Amino acid sequence: MILAVSTLKNPSSPADGYRGRFAPSPTGPLHAGSLLTALGSWLDARKNGGKWLLRIEDLDSPRCIPGAERHIQAQLLACGLSWDEELSFQSERQGLYQQALERLNELKLLYPCTCSRQDIASTLAKLGVLTPRNQEMVYPGTCRPNQSEIYSPELLKTSKVAWRLALPQDCHIEFKDLALGPQSQDLDKEVGDFILRRNDGVFTYQLAVVVDDAKQGITHIVRGEDLLSNTARQIHLQKILGYRTPQYLHLPLVLDEHGEKLSKQTLATQINTQDDKQSLAELRKAAQHLGLRNLPDGENITIAEWLLAATRAWKGE
Ligand code: GLU
Ligand code: ZN
């Protein structure tokens, strides 16, 4: 009985066991990099006797490609990576993100911002702050009010401005990555007050992912190393929203011949899952990148058999 009550209160209580997820954005079909993330998170969940959920992160609709989510599902199934529970779509969960935003508003932690990227760049230039290429600009706090306040929920829903989270001074976040060891970030100095809702009304990845991981009771997040620098922001949000912090494990990236991360932007080619033989070849490449050794390499093995061997070989933590 006590167990049932605590489970109800906190969906990610350890009593539920391991819950992992794969959360692709449907901006195109799976490529070698996203298959690696799918495989790594699937193996970690299976090794731990856990559940593996599939969540389609389709909030940024201009970047989403119609039909990509179907394509991704078909590719996963062709590779034997089946998911538990019902597939979820972030576009159908916006009420939850709005609720979280309202909670932060009640805590007087939000403020509206009208700065363009250009405004931020010129403010930083005036301050003599240089942003290295490929790095996000640290928001200099231009629109932050002297006195925090609660805004009307209506304004929060309808205004055409961005909403930022006010960070405390010395917002130092530490966590231990299961693959990479101890990590830390000074959010106020390295990131600045970050956006939770964009001026076009779209909830940002940081807010949506934190709400979903908590509401879906995710205990373990296994994803690509390119997302490592977002983790401290997400942990900070979890803390203020009263959510549990899951375990994190960041996987090595697959780089192209120029040393760039594979992505739709670099026109990474989709994996070939035309038949079982091709799918198995893609899985084998991903496993090699993950550092899995001594897997059966024969021709006459089924995908299910190979995945079983890979699960045995997977160390995770
Ligand atoms: N949707 C994100 C992406 O495709 C991944 C989110 C996550 O795993 O936290 O890059
Ligand atoms: Zn601003």
Side-chain angles (χ1 to χ4, degrees), residues 21 23-25 55 57 205 209 213 221-223 226-227 234:
R21 59 25 166 216
S25 308
R55 179 170 75 226
E57 302 212 322
Y205 160 63
V209 83
D213 287 333
I221 294 181
V222 179
R223 62 185 179 191
D226 54 325
L227 295 166
Q234 294 169 15

Side-chain angles (χ1 to χ4, degrees), residues 51-52 59 66 112 124 129 140 150 154 157 159 164 172 192 225 248 268 279:
K51 298 250 191 269
W52 189 70
L59 285 182
L124 288 174
V129 181
I150 301 180
E154 219 23 60
K157 268 195 195 139
S159 64
R164 288 187 186 267
H172 180 77
E225 229 176 85
Y248 287 95
S279 301

Side-chain angles (χ1 to χ4, degrees), residues 32 253-263 266-269 289:
L253 297 182
V254 181
L255 304 178
D256 66 14
E257 66 269 30
H258 311 293
E260 304 252 8
K261 168 180 110 85
L262 287 191
S263 67
T266 59
L267 300 178
T269 41
H289 266 289

Side-chain angles (χ1 to χ4, degrees), residues 155-186:
L155 189 72
L156 203 61
K157 268 195 195 139
T158 56
S159 64
K160 299 272 178 285
V161 295
W163 290 88
R164 288 187 186 267
L165 178 72
L167 294 174
Q169 259 177 6
D170 302 321
C171 190
H172 180 77
I173 302 287
E174 287 183 0
F175 64 99
K176 185 168 168 272
D177 185 89
L178 293 178
L180 305 170
Q183 306 290 319
S184 71
Q185 197 173 37
D186 288 309

Side-chain angles (χ1 to χ4, degrees), residues 99-113:
Q99 273 172 24
L101 200 68
E102 271 159 26
R103 175 83 195 111
L104 296 168
N105 181 31
E106 283 159 15
L107 294 169
K108 298 191 181 175
L109 290 175
L110 293 185
Y111 66 87
C113 167

Side-chain angles (χ1 to χ4, degrees), residues 111-115 139 142-143 164:
Y111 66 87
C113 167
T114 50
C115 298
Y139 183 65
T142 322
C143 296
R164 288 187 186 267

